[in-house]
């Protein structure tokens, strides 16, 4: 159940960060509200996750996966450039998450 909550926390954080891009410095109401609610939900779900998942593992997966997904959204939907360094960074983040889970993180 902990990893299901963690997936929800990641999804909420990604939605909040994406909405922040559209808030134009918190000058637009709806994207700003989505950002606020998204981060509250993300941290609430992360807190619940920590009841069953080790903090180092949970935070690494939350931060790493969120970062990789946001980078992909930026490249695919927001016109950010795709460079070998970005691709390599995303691959390393995903590899790190896999290693954490293979290394007895459950």
């Amino acid at each position: 159940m902990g990893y299901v909550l963690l997936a929800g926390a990641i999804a909420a954080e990604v939605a909040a960060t994406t909405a922040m891009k559209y808030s134009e410095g918190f000058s637009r109401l709806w994207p700003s509200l989505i950002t606020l609610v998204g981060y509250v939900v993300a941290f609430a779900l992360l807190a619940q996750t920590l009841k069953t998942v080790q903090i180092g593992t949970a935070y690494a997966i939350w931060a790493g996966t969120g970062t990789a997904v946001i980078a992909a959204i930026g490249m695919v939907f927001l016109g950010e450039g795709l460079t070998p360094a970005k691709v390599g960074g995303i691959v390393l983040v995903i590899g790190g998450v896999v290693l954490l889970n293979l290394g007895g993180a459950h």
Side-chain angles (χ1 to χ4, degrees):
M1 185 63 169
Y3 286 98
V4 172
L5 293 171
L6 183 56
I10 292 166
E13 188 265 336
V14 166
T17 302
T18 304
M20 189 185 306
K21 168 71 176 166
Y22 294 102
S23 75
E24 295 180 14
F26 295 113
S27 64
R28 296 182 61 215
L29 177 63
W30 291 110
S32 299
L33 289 176
I34 292 169
T35 300
L36 176 67
V37 170
Y39 279 118
V40 168
V41 169
F43 280 106
L45 291 174
L46 182 60
Q48 293 302 309
T49 298
L50 297 179
K51 291 180 178 180
T52 58
V53 180
Q54 295 175 356
I55 189 169
T57 300
Y59 187 75
I61 293 170
W62 180 69
T65 304
T67 299
V69 172
I70 287 296
I73 287 171
M75 288 182 283
V76 173
F77 297 110
L78 302 175
E80 295 179 3
L82 176 64
T83 66
K86 283 186 180 181
V87 172
I90 292 170
V91 168
L92 288 171
V93 167
I94 293 167
V97 169
V98 169
L99 282 174
L100 276 171
N101 282 296
L102 291 176
H106 309 85

